[in-house]
Amino acid sequence: MAKRLLREWKGVAWLITLVMTALSAAAQTVVLSDGIYFFKTDDNKLLTRGEPYGSAVQLYDWGLPIRISTDASGITTLKFADAADWLIFDDGTGIYADNANPENKTWKITKSGDKYVFQNTISNRYMKVDGSRVLSTATQSEAYAFTIVTPSESVFVSTSSAGSHTGF
């Protein structure tokens, strides 16, 4: 009798683990509300445009706001709020903001703790941080998890002849 109960208990425990794992995986993919956000790193750097040609997505002490939009089918696009072009994965390893190519503009957002990982849905590559550059990687373990904050959560906003910048 005890062996039978132990066997049944192990079966129930296995089933509970399976269900919890499935629920956890399903809860990971998120849709952020459409709006304006800043993407922040652990060392308080923000996404902005930079060299070469002012179009590569880079990290700096100040950043540009990013507009997140998700359509009814759950497809998410990212744009710097002051520009018409999407943040896209290019055919190499970069993330750029100077191309209106609809082929590479869609992203899947996965929550990792209180941070977010971005995966391009066409290339299946992830955003990663390499120094001041934001690149792409095929390896999920190299993906960078960004903190997403709203403009009201920023510490200061300064306006200069170069435009408005937000920092932390």
Side-chain angles (χ1 to χ4, degrees):
M1 174 81 166
K3 286 184 181 182
R4 183 174 156 246
L5 286 174
L6 182 60
R7 196 171 344 134
E8 287 177 9
W9 182 86
K10 285 182 180 179
V12 170
W14 175 83
L15 182 59
I16 290 171
T17 301
L18 181 66
V19 169
M20 294 303 288
T21 301
L23 288 173
S24 175
Q28 292 297 325
T29 300
V30 296
V31 175
L32 289 171
S33 299
D34 288 1
I36 304 291
Y37 299 91
F38 290 93
F39 291 30
K40 186 174 80 161
T41 63
D42 291 338
D43 58 354
N44 290 324
K45 302 293 182 187
L46 298 159
L47 262 63
T48 190
R49 283 189 299 268
E51 296 302 325
Y53 310 110
S55 62
V57 177
Q58 294 192 331
L59 299 169
Y60 200 67
D61 293 331
W62 54 266
L64 293 170
I66 295 173
R67 180 179 310 279
I68 294 179
S69 302
T70 304
D71 66 17
S73 65
I75 300 296
T76 299
T77 57
L78 310 171
K79 290 182 181 183
F80 281 114
D82 67 342
D85 294 330
W86 295 284
L87 270 66
I88 62 148
F89 155 77
D90 77 345
D91 292 334
T93 60
I95 306 293
Y96 292 92
D98 65 342
N99 189 326
N101 181 356
E103 300 287 319
N104 295 328
K105 71 174 186 174
T106 57
W107 298 87
K108 174 181 155 187
I109 303 171
T110 305
K111 192 160 186 179
S112 176
D114 61 348
K115 298 178 182 182
Y116 299 87
V117 173
F118 293 83
Q119 180 184 19
N120 186 276
T121 60
I122 302 301
S123 68
N124 288 321
R125 294 177 68 88
Y126 299 85
M127 283 188 193
K128 80 171 189 175
V129 170
D130 184 12
S132 66
R133 295 289 311 272
V134 178
L135 303 174
S136 68
T137 178
T139 309
Q140 185 176 11
S141 63
E142 291 182 327
Y144 192 85
F146 292 93
T147 299
I148 304 298
V149 295
T150 64
S152 65
E153 294 172 298
S154 65
V155 172
F156 70 88
V157 175
S158 65
T159 304
S160 69
S161 60
S164 177
H165 306 292
T166 300
F168 292 85

